[in-house]
Amino acid sequence: MSQNNPIQERVDQMLLKWTLAINTPNVKIVRIQAEKDDKDMLEAYYQYMLAIDTNQQDFVLILSAPFTSPKEYAVALLKELEEEINNWNTANIPESIKFETITWKADYSLIDLENPAQLLIKNLNSFANYLQPEKKVKVSIVLNIDQISEKEAYKWFSNALNTNMEPHLILAINDTTQYPIYNKLAEDYPEAVYTILPEFDMDAAVEQMAALGDPTATETPYRANLAKLINGVKARDQKKVQHAAKACLDIAVKALEKDANWIMQIVTVYTILYNDQLGYKNYEDAIYFANKAVEAAVFSKDLIKPEMAYRLVGQTHLGRGALYQLQKKRDKALNDYEIAANAYQIAKDYLMQCESLRLSGEMASKLSLKNESTQYYLKAYHLKDNLGEDLVKTSTYPLVVNQLLKNYNRSQYLTNNQMAEDMKPYFGEEWEETIENYSKINKKLVQ
């Protein structure tokens, strides 16, 4: 990367802070307390540290096992560590990189019921000594925890700090400035916990990145104005939003004369604008921009590849349908969801087709169209083979199955025995209970 690349500059600054932190005497835990919006940049920084061709001075490994309970967490991390070791041992490493097979194994017998963190720390001590027996190179383990309470975090990591840690072993944890979890830990262990405050300022970085490139190319001013538009929305600066949006649309409409793919950027701008107005609860203005997005998407059918065009049609009708739903204009919402489902079917985007059909079933039910609702859910249900096992389990598909389980009209089209035969390969013998649990989790995500 060029040295004047604003993203690289920020990564380099962060790397300097990291190097200072891990080499500060007595530091055992490095807390990276970033802005909430900087999560993606922090993930990118971690990936940069993992690269085998960087100037990193320490060995870095990232573990992302979720925190469920103090006892289970240590075991989950060790299993993930062993999996990472196996990935390393079986990876295709370039010949220019020095490679040695790692034969280290975790010892699960090192359990202390009074201190559940001890199992992990003692094993990490052993691992660090295996990798760096001379203890001249730091072994940094990033514990990428998404959800943990302040109370659980304090107890678990204070237990870790109260276990003897090798001098070259470092733990790293994520925190945010908006919702800090580890303040008390840092206050009570001031020498052991070192806090880094990244200065990513990604809004400015994005605008700087967008302005890079050939100033005579159409894409360069468009990217710069699109970045300003997005930042204006985040800052709730309507003047900046209006100015940047007009600039984007002027550029895109002119560019459309030579390149039909610019129609997608017009849809993008209108989508940003209606979501912006939604944030102010200006529903009429939001619908106005959503209509513009739909018009552009429909127009795209004569300009770009059908698969791309119909994805745009599905996306824009789904978005406008959600706005109609908020206004309780359920008949209009249902119509948009139907169009979206048909468009995604043509585009062969089965995940979004399933979601559009699910929303159609939900809306038809609210309109007391019970038979129609059943048919939408059934059509979504039968997409399971197109979705594949991973999407069946991790998308909103379980919500479809759950609705059909409770649907009295369904049995004449789909029997209980047939459902059991269909669902057991995906969800096991206790599939109904599993579906209910999946549904509870997924329902929170879509509400």
Side-chain angles (χ1 to χ4, degrees), residues 194-214:
Y194 187 111
T195 298
I196 293 177
L197 297 172
E199 297 177 24
F200 290 132
D201 191 8
M202 288 308 297
D203 290 347
V206 168
E207 290 192 22
Q208 291 168 12
M209 280 290 292
L212 294 176
D214 182 358

Side-chain angles (χ1 to χ4, degrees), residues 225-435:
N225 281 290
L226 183 63
K228 290 177 182 177
L229 172 59
I230 293 169
N231 288 342
V233 170
K234 289 174 64 177
R236 300 180 77 82
D237 184 339
Q238 284 297 286
K239 187 174 180 180
K240 185 174 183 178
V241 167
Q242 292 170 10
H243 179 79
K246 183 179 184 304
C248 284
L249 289 171
D250 286 346
I251 294 169
V253 169
K254 186 176 180 179
L256 186 62
E257 297 173 4
K258 296 181 179 180
D259 185 351
N261 287 310
W262 276 92
I263 192 69
M264 293 186 286
Q265 298 305 322
I266 294 174
V267 172
T268 296
V269 173
Y270 282 126
T271 300
I272 292 171
L273 288 173
Y274 80 65
N275 278 298
D276 178 45
Q277 292 305 305
L278 179 60
Y280 294 101
K281 297 186 178 180
N282 294 334
Y283 297 121
E284 293 306 318
D285 287 345
I287 289 292
Y288 170 81
F289 290 123
N291 286 338
K292 290 291 186 181
V294 168
E295 289 172 11
V298 172
F299 184 57
S300 77
K301 290 192 286 186
D302 296 324
L303 298 176
I304 59 178
K305 293 179 180 179
E307 184 176 319
M308 296 167 62
Y310 279 99
R311 273 201 175 91
L312 286 182
V313 172
Q315 169 195 322
T316 53
H317 281 88
L318 208 58
R320 189 175 67 179
L323 293 175
Y324 281 137
Q325 183 174 347
L326 285 171
Q327 291 184 299
K328 298 192 184 303
K329 296 180 179 179
R330 292 169 177 162
D331 53 339
K332 289 187 175 182
L334 176 57
N335 184 60
D336 269 340
Y337 293 153
E338 286 178 326
I339 294 173
N342 291 332
Y344 282 125
Q345 181 177 12
I346 295 171
K348 296 182 180 179
D349 188 334
Y350 301 114
L351 175 62
M352 293 310 300
Q353 182 190 358
C354 182
E355 177 61 4
S356 301
L357 288 167
R358 184 189 73 80
L359 290 169
S360 297
E362 183 180 274
M363 201 51 50
S365 179
K366 290 180 178 179
L367 288 165
S368 299
L369 302 172
K370 295 182 179 180
N371 290 331
E372 289 87 341
S373 176
T374 302
Q375 293 305 315
Y376 289 127
Y377 283 126
L378 285 168
K379 191 170 182 179
Y381 175 88
H382 290 301
L383 287 173
K384 61 184 184 302
D385 293 334
N386 299 98
L387 292 173
E389 183 176 355
D390 287 344
L391 288 179
V392 164
K393 288 182 174 181
T394 59
S395 69
T396 56
Y397 184 84
L399 295 179
V400 172
V401 181
N402 197 46
Q403 286 298 322
L404 287 171
L405 277 172
K406 300 183 291 186
N407 189 317
Y408 295 111
N409 296 328
R410 176 261 308 165
S411 58
Q412 58 182 309
Y413 308 103
L414 181 65
T415 65
N416 291 339
N417 288 339
Q418 184 62 55
M419 286 190 77
E421 184 180 333
D422 291 341
M423 293 298 107
K424 283 180 181 178
Y426 296 106
F427 301 104
E429 290 296 322
E430 304 298 326
W431 67 276
E432 291 184 64
E433 182 180 346
T434 303
I435 283 290

Side-chain angles (χ1 to χ4, degrees), residues 47 59 73 114 150 169 173 180 220 222 242 248 263 292 347 355 383 389 429 436:
Q47 293 306 313
F59 175 91
Y73 185 51
E114 299 297 322
E150 187 173 353
L169 174 63
I173 51 179
T220 301
Y222 176 78
Q242 292 170 10
C248 284
I263 192 69
K292 290 291 186 181
E355 177 61 4
L383 287 173
E389 183 176 355
E429 290 296 322
E436 186 177 353

Side-chain angles (χ1 to χ4, degrees), residues 47-111:
Q47 293 306 313
Y48 174 81
M49 289 201 300
L50 285 176
I52 57 179
D53 58 349
T54 66
N55 293 321
Q56 278 291 117
Q57 298 302 310
D58 58 330
F59 175 91
V60 178
L61 186 65
I62 300 173
L63 301 178
S64 301
F67 185 94
T68 53
S69 72
K71 182 179 178 181
E72 292 174 351
Y73 185 51
V75 174
L77 288 170
L78 290 176
K79 289 187 178 299
E80 185 181 2
L81 174 57
E82 290 185 317
E83 184 178 337
E84 289 296 324
I85 291 171
N86 182 62
N87 291 339
W88 167 263
N89 289 338
T90 57
N92 292 320
I93 306 296
E95 292 183 3
S96 59
I97 303 297
K98 183 180 179 181
F99 173 81
E100 292 183 9
T101 300
I102 298 175
T103 59
W104 180 88
K105 295 287 185 182
D107 182 352
Y108 292 92
S109 69
L110 301 174
I111 296 174

